Amino acid sequence: KPLLLFAFGVQAGRAAASVACFRRSLRLRPGHAPTLSNLGNALRSLGETNDAVELLRQASAGDPGSPEIAYNFALALRDAGQVVDAVRWFDRSLELRPDRHSVRIERGLAHLLGGNFTAGFADLVLRHPAPVVPVRGKSWPRWDGRTLDGRHLLVRAGDDLAETALFARFVPLAAQRGVPVILEGPDDAIPLLETVDGAARVVRRGG
């Protein structure tokens, strides 16, 4: 879609400009841990994962007491597929600053990628901690695995297609238990959702 491509281009352009700025800053202050972290984060947003990991490794060594640097390092490691190390650095960030729910949520995704579903979902429940979730003007109770007695299960896709693909693997498991599943997502996720086995219906977000 042209608008989405334009938006991505703007974001990529900003990230590239940030990379140039951070590199200039490092020439003035070599080894400055916060700048190394910022540069690594910018490169990660451009998909240059290996370079991001190395820079953030240097940043974490330079400032081992920074929860933000530990968090950025964990994100880069997760993007690089180094899930075990990523979880370890998410843990480190939380040791340094335990009150950050966003870090636990990202750690939950890392756990899921590594196949640790129990720990993953325990972290991800922080996204919607209340027992009911407001959707389409109504309050929907969160499913806890109990029999639905003919009621439908609404599964909502987020804006991250990679995350949507990750969670879509669980839809057939719910369908095998006799649960009618309705999938909801944004327009760009609909083609993916329509390929998911076990979905009784696919609807557009807000449609």
Side-chain angles (χ1 to χ4, degrees), residues 183-195 202-205:
L183 294 180
E184 180 196 80
D187 286 348
D188 58 344
I190 295 300
L192 171 62
L193 297 178
E194 288 176 339
T195 67
V202 176
V203 297
R204 283 177 168 75
R205 182 185 300 167

Side-chain angles (χ1 to χ4, degrees), residues 28 89 162 205:
L28 297 174
W89 280 95
R205 182 185 300 167

Side-chain angles (χ1 to χ4, degrees), residues 126-156:
L126 290 173
R127 279 182 165 174
H128 302 289
V132 295
V133 181
V135 180
R136 296 173 174 249
K138 300 180 181 179
S139 293
W140 292 64
R142 181 182 291 106
W143 186 43
D144 59 6
R146 284 182 284 188
T147 302
L148 294 180
D149 297 323
R151 291 176 296 173
H152 285 72
L153 175 65
L154 176 65
V155 178
R156 307 185 74 204

Side-chain angles (χ1 to χ4, degrees), residues 51-153:
D51 288 342
V53 166
E54 181 53 36
L55 286 164
L56 284 156
R57 193 184 311 279
Q58 295 175 35
S60 64
D63 188 356
S66 168
E68 193 63 36
I69 290 176
Y71 173 61
N72 289 341
F73 191 21
L75 291 173
L77 287 165
R78 190 185 65 188
D79 286 359
Q82 300 177 42
V83 177
V84 173
D85 287 339
V87 168
R88 183 164 59 86
W89 280 95
F90 282 128
D91 289 345
R92 174 60 178 162
S93 180
L94 287 167
E95 287 174 8
L96 295 167
R97 189 174 168 186
D99 60 339
R100 297 189 67 190
H101 285 186
S102 60
V103 178
R104 282 193 59 188
I105 289 169
E106 296 294 347
R107 183 182 66 178
L109 293 173
H111 277 308
L112 293 184
L113 287 170
N116 189 345
F117 301 132
T118 300
F121 286 120
D123 279 344
L124 288 172
V125 75
L126 290 173
R127 279 182 165 174
H128 302 289
V132 295
V133 181
V135 180
R136 296 173 174 249
K138 300 180 181 179
S139 293
W140 292 64
R142 181 182 291 106
W143 186 43
D144 59 6
R146 284 182 284 188
T147 302
L148 294 180
D149 297 323
R151 291 176 296 173
H152 285 72
L153 175 65

